[in-house]
Amino acid sequence: TPSKKAAAQPRQTGTMVSRQEIVDDLSEYLNGLPIRTGGFREKALGIFKVKQAVVRTKKPLDMETIAHEVGHAIHKFIWGVTAKGNLNNKRLNPFRRELGPLDYDPKQSRVFEGFAEYVRLYMTNPAEAQRRAPAFDAWFNSKLQTMPELQAVMQKAQERFLGWEAQPATAKIAASIKAKVREPKKWVSG
């Protein structure tokens, strides 16, 4: 469930945006959705554990994979799961022609994978999402208008991802460096 915090401004760090901040904000906006590294054996770059509602990636801060897996979390939030515990595709099936080819394995043409890829594109390259799935994009944007908290989450995530990409390489590196401020040691005088 998206949080009302999504309507608030993301953390400010001057003009620099770090990948960790984007992940932390996305997790916070989605009511603390856990976004973790490791903890699975599949060959995939990432997974969304439907029952536990947790995103896991092979590599830390893999933004493209995190955006894709968050797409599965959003799918669960909007349309729920079937009696067998799988993501419910009923509302997406009419868009199979557009979403199927977005599957990372186009031969399988799975609508739930296509939706997750659409969300990745929506967050990281909105013009490409609209180009590759125009009818679904129009329908999904009208759906988001009925869900203002989720719409705010999607817009904030999009702004953060695009802000990251727009930064020069030096700003990306600088934003990733954590300066550790040390407290001066207190010596006991005797």
Side-chain angles (χ1 to χ4, degrees):
T1 310
S3 116
K4 294 184 190 277
K5 293 177 185 174
Q9 289 297 330
R11 261 179 252 114
Q12 297 296 314
T13 57
T15 58
M16 295 185 292
V17 177
S18 76
R19 292 186 300 172
Q20 185 64 60
E21 287 176 315
I22 295 169
V23 171
D24 291 347
D25 286 346
L26 195 52
S27 174
E28 183 179 333
Y29 296 158
L30 293 169
N31 266 352
L33 174 72
I35 300 174
R36 308 280 185 255
T37 304
F40 66 100
R41 293 183 181 159
E42 290 88 338
K43 291 182 181 180
L45 295 174
I47 61 170
F48 173 67
K49 293 188 173 189
V50 177
K51 185 176 180 180
Q52 299 88 346
V54 63
V55 167
R56 293 198 167 275
T57 60
K58 289 268 191 223
K59 298 176 190 173
L61 305 176
D62 179 349
M63 304 310 290
E64 299 279 327
T65 302
I66 289 169
H68 173 96
E69 300 307 333
V70 163
H72 291 305
I74 290 170
H75 183 158
K76 180 181 178 182
F77 167 72
I78 297 175
W79 297 293
V81 295
T82 65
K84 292 183 178 181
N86 299 318
L87 294 172
N88 186 345
N89 294 322
K90 194 177 279 189
R91 297 291 299 176
L92 297 177
N93 283 332
F95 300 99
R96 181 173 294 281
R97 220 169 125 229
E98 287 185 351
L99 294 177
L102 293 178
D103 184 337
Y104 60 83
D105 183 356
K107 290 179 184 176
Q108 292 194 45
S109 196
R110 297 166 293 190
V111 72
F112 67 95
E113 289 297 347
F115 176 74
E117 270 303 285
Y118 168 83
V119 170
R120 178 187 70 79
L121 289 170
Y122 189 96
M123 289 184 189
T124 63
N125 188 344
E128 185 66 8
Q130 198 278 330
R131 185 188 74 73
R132 293 183 62 189
F136 181 75
D137 186 73
W139 180 82
F140 187 66
N141 279 304
S142 69
K143 175 81 173 161
L144 284 178
Q145 289 178 0
T146 68
M147 306 173 82
E149 289 176 1
L150 181 58
Q151 184 177 34
V153 166
M154 299 293 284
Q155 287 173 342
K156 297 270 184 240
Q158 193 177 80
E159 289 168 14
R160 300 293 274 171
F161 277 105
L162 296 175
W164 164 257
E165 284 299 321
Q167 293 180 128
T170 53
K172 288 178 182 176
I173 293 168
S176 299
I177 297 171
K178 289 186 178 181
K180 190 173 186 178
V181 179
R182 289 187 172 181
E183 293 284 328
K185 289 187 178 182
K186 295 182 180 178
W187 295 95
V188 178
S189 59

